[in-house]
Amino acid sequence: MGAIKEVLTIAGSDSGGGAGIQADIKTFQELGVFGTSAITAVTAQNTQGVSGIFPMERGTVRQQIDAVGSDFEIAAVKTGMLFDASIIEETAKGIRRYGWKYVIVDPVMIAKGGAALLQEEAVEAMKAQLLPLATVITPNIPEAEVLSGIEIRDPETRLLAAKRILDYGAESVVIKGGHGNDPDFTEDFYLHTGGASLMLRSNRISTRQTHGTGCTFAAALTAEMAKGAPMNEALFTAKQFVQAALGHPLNIGSGHGPTNHAAFRNFSGKGEVQLV
Ligand SMILES: Nc1ncnc2c1ncn2[C@@H]1O[C@H](COP(=O)(O)OP(=O)(O)OP(=O)(O)O)[C@@H](O)[C@H]1O
Ligand SMILES: Cc1ncc(CO)c(N)n1
């Protein structure tokens, strides 16, 4: 067995443990990579919502990135909640400083209960400074609409939105389908600048315990890319990881509970996700 791959997440802390840094580290551990972190903001949060947001100073973010970057061989870096333009700038500078190969940008904007995890005026900074560095961006449907300025109603508008997002300079994008309107299926649509596309389709699992699915998906993708999986396989594993995590709920908390990050180890439902 080769040396364990080291990965970094630059994201917010979720005290409730289902999303953010906590989801990332749990997912990294499950998929056999070594997780490090740079915390951008502390949130007071549980399954019912966000009750407080405490952003870090930009220098605190920079120092964490430098502490990790100067000592670890980071095979892939993931970004999550970045909150404001100054943290986006530090994150982009850090990624450029260390020249990390795989950059997975989850453009987190709004929590399930409606709390803003990214300030509105920071969207332009994200487009200009971070998206050009991304190997893959993983917006959900509302985030893809904000980034592209296109309302996603059907496969045609989804394709247009994906193309528009790629115009900001990322290598590829996956528009996640959790917020889609099909009651039976979810579809995550992947598009590469070279024109190649993929669809990850699964049964829609009927559950309220969906807190942190987006972070978990992007973290699993990060882990698989760090291990050297080709993009289509990394996407497939990430989708299966989330399908398992949603399909084996833990029943924690009284609101939108966390997914089960440990379910994938025993997952045998390979046929539950189709790669089209
Ligand atoms: N009910 C569901 N059944 C099956 N898969 C789902 C369901 N909801 C979301 N997913 C999957 O979870 C992943 C995350 O998708 P989603 O669009 O919900 O992201 P998100 O809104 O960023 O998540 P969150 O804000 O909860 O972290 C995708 O792979 C999507 O297909
Ligand atoms: C800290 C944090 N990051 C991301 C999300 C999005 O799920 C969240 N709810 N909280």
Side-chain angles (χ1 to χ4, degrees), residues 12-14 19-20 43 45 81 108 111 117 211 215:
S13 166
D14 167 14
T43 71
Q45 190 173 174
M81 170 186 179
V108 171
L117 303 180
H211 178 62
C215 305

Side-chain angles (χ1 to χ4, degrees), residues 72-133:
F72 292 77
E73 295 228 353
I74 295 301
V77 57
K78 166 185 182 289
T79 69
M81 170 186 179
L82 298 177
F83 193 66
D84 65 22
S86 72
I87 295 177
I88 289 173
E89 198 181 316
E90 285 306 333
T91 300
K93 278 189 184 165
I95 292 170
R96 284 202 303 267
R97 202 153 52 244
Y98 294 99
W100 289 316
K101 184 172 172 196
Y102 294 128
V103 179
I104 294 83
V105 173
D106 188 17
V108 171
M109 292 184 189
I110 308 226
K112 283 237 155 59
L117 303 180
L118 181 72
Q119 295 185 332
E120 257 179 68
E121 59 272 23
V123 171
E124 291 309 314
M126 175 176 280
K127 286 180 187 168
Q129 295 174 47
L130 200 56
L131 299 197
L133 304 178

Side-chain angles (χ1 to χ4, degrees), residues 192-212:
H192 188 271
T193 33
S197 68
L198 280 176
M199 188 77 80
L200 297 152
R201 188 172 293 143
S202 75
N203 292 333
R204 181 176 289 279
I205 297 169
S206 174
T207 172
R208 281 187 82 209
Q209 301 184 53
T210 55
H211 178 62

Side-chain angles (χ1 to χ4, degrees), residues 112 140 176 178-179 186 188 205 210 212-214 217 239 242 246:
K112 283 237 155 59
N140 62 22
K176 300 169 296 186
H179 300 249
T186 66
D188 297 350
I205 297 169
T210 55
T213 46
F217 175 82
K239 176 71 181 159
V242 171
L246 282 167

Side-chain angles (χ1 to χ4, degrees), residues 7-248:
V7 298
L8 168 64
T9 170
I10 305 174
S13 166
D14 167 14
S15 55
I21 291 274
Q22 287 79 0
D24 294 344
I25 300 274
K26 290 174 193 184
T27 303
F28 294 157
Q29 181 77 11
E30 288 294 324
L31 290 173
V33 297
F34 185 84
T36 66
S37 60
I39 296 186
T40 56
V42 168
T43 71
Q45 190 173 174
N46 59 22
T47 65
Q48 294 163 19
V50 178
S51 54
I53 296 182
F54 309 92
M56 298 290 111
E57 301 278 344
R58 63 187 297 164
T60 310
V61 176
R62 185 191 317 140
Q63 234 178 300
Q64 293 174 85
I65 294 173
D66 280 340
V68 173
S70 61
D71 194 31
F72 292 77
E73 295 228 353
I74 295 301
V77 57
K78 166 185 182 289
T79 69
M81 170 186 179
L82 298 177
F83 193 66
D84 65 22
S86 72
I87 295 177
I88 289 173
E89 198 181 316
E90 285 306 333
T91 300
K93 278 189 184 165
I95 292 170
R96 284 202 303 267
R97 202 153 52 244
Y98 294 99
W100 289 316
K101 184 172 172 196
Y102 294 128
V103 179
I104 294 83
V105 173
D106 188 17
V108 171
M109 292 184 189
I110 308 226
K112 283 237 155 59
L117 303 180
L118 181 72
Q119 295 185 332
E120 257 179 68
E121 59 272 23
V123 171
E124 291 309 314
M126 175 176 280
K127 286 180 187 168
Q129 295 174 47
L130 200 56
L131 299 197
L133 304 178
T135 317
V136 55
I137 320 170
T138 63
N140 62 22
I141 290 172
E143 289 157 356
E145 291 182 332
V146 169
L147 291 173
S148 67
I150 292 170
E151 190 191 336
I152 298 177
R153 295 181 305 270
D154 49 30
E156 288 72 38
T157 45
R158 181 176 57 193
L159 176 62
L160 276 182
K163 285 183 174 163
R164 184 70 57 82
I165 292 170
L166 290 182
D167 287 343
Y168 290 104
E171 194 179 315
S172 67
V173 60
V174 50
I175 300 184
K176 300 169 296 186
H179 300 249
N181 47 23
D182 190 312
D184 299 322
F185 292 95
T186 66
E187 283 185 347
D188 297 350
F189 174 66
Y190 174 82
L191 184 67
H192 188 271
T193 33
S197 68
L198 280 176
M199 188 77 80
L200 297 152
R201 188 172 293 143
S202 75
N203 292 333
R204 181 176 289 279
I205 297 169
S206 174
T207 172
R208 281 187 82 209
Q209 301 184 53
T210 55
H211 178 62
T213 46
C215 305
T216 302
F217 175 82
L221 187 58
T222 304
E224 291 307 298
M225 289 171 69
K227 289 190 284 184
M231 183 58 94
N232 59 347
E233 287 175 25
L235 286 164
F236 191 51
T237 303
K239 176 71 181 159
Q240 286 186 325
F241 192 96
V242 171
Q243 193 75 0
L246 282 167
H248 300 83

